[in-house]
Amino acid sequence: MIKANSIKESFLNPAQAVYQRVVAAGDYWMQVIKAGQTLRIVDLEGNQAADTLFYNAQDPAERYSAMDTIREQGNVYLTAGTQLRSNDNRVMLEIVADTCGRHDTLGGACATESNTVRYGLEKKFMHACRDSWMLAVAQHEEFDINKRDITHNINFFMNVPVTAEGGLTFADGLSAPGKYVELKACMDVVALISNCPQLNNPCNAYNPTPIEVLIWD
Ligand SMILES: [Zn+2]
């Protein structure tokens, strides 16, 4: 069983990264990570949520699966040592470093529909992660990913503690400026991140901020 809140630092040097980009809140980032490459996501200003999906780059019908990941590791939180599994129960990526200690895969992504239910009818027209993903797959037909492929996701840096009674709570974030999570790809994957634009949720202190992505060979 994986232990929650495993802090593990990385020794990779950002100067040696082969790719580096800042992603503004409300934007998406979609990129292939080759097997053996390492992806780092940095929470630049703290308490941001990076709503992330992964697909097998050769066959996007194989994709990240929250239930396979949780069952195999025997823990609902993602942290250093977590193997991210696909709906075919294969390891897609492994979290090899983590200075935040806990990431959510239960809370789901924000959508205009859930904003309406949770926060009020007038929130229907606010930008949401699901909008960003839909825009991403529409603008990147080369990946052959469609609306029905958008399923359960990971919320990096988001804190959704489970109570003793099994309830979900959306709590103030554990993350802080400069905290990061690092993942090594075990197959060629397409990473699709929506840097969450949410303005109604305490997870990001009602203040969405940029993230940085880096890739090492
Ligand atoms: Zn969101």
Side-chain angles (χ1 to χ4, degrees), residues 112-126:
T112 54
E113 295 85 349
S114 62
N115 280 346
T116 305
V117 171
R118 282 181 185 150
Y119 308 117
L121 274 180
E122 76 280 8
K123 310 293 188 186
K124 181 171 180 188
F125 305 100
M126 295 175 76

Side-chain angles (χ1 to χ4, degrees), residues 51 109-110 128-130 194 196-198:
D51 292 42
C110 66
C129 282
R130 196 173 166 82
S194 163
C196 186
Q198 182 59 260

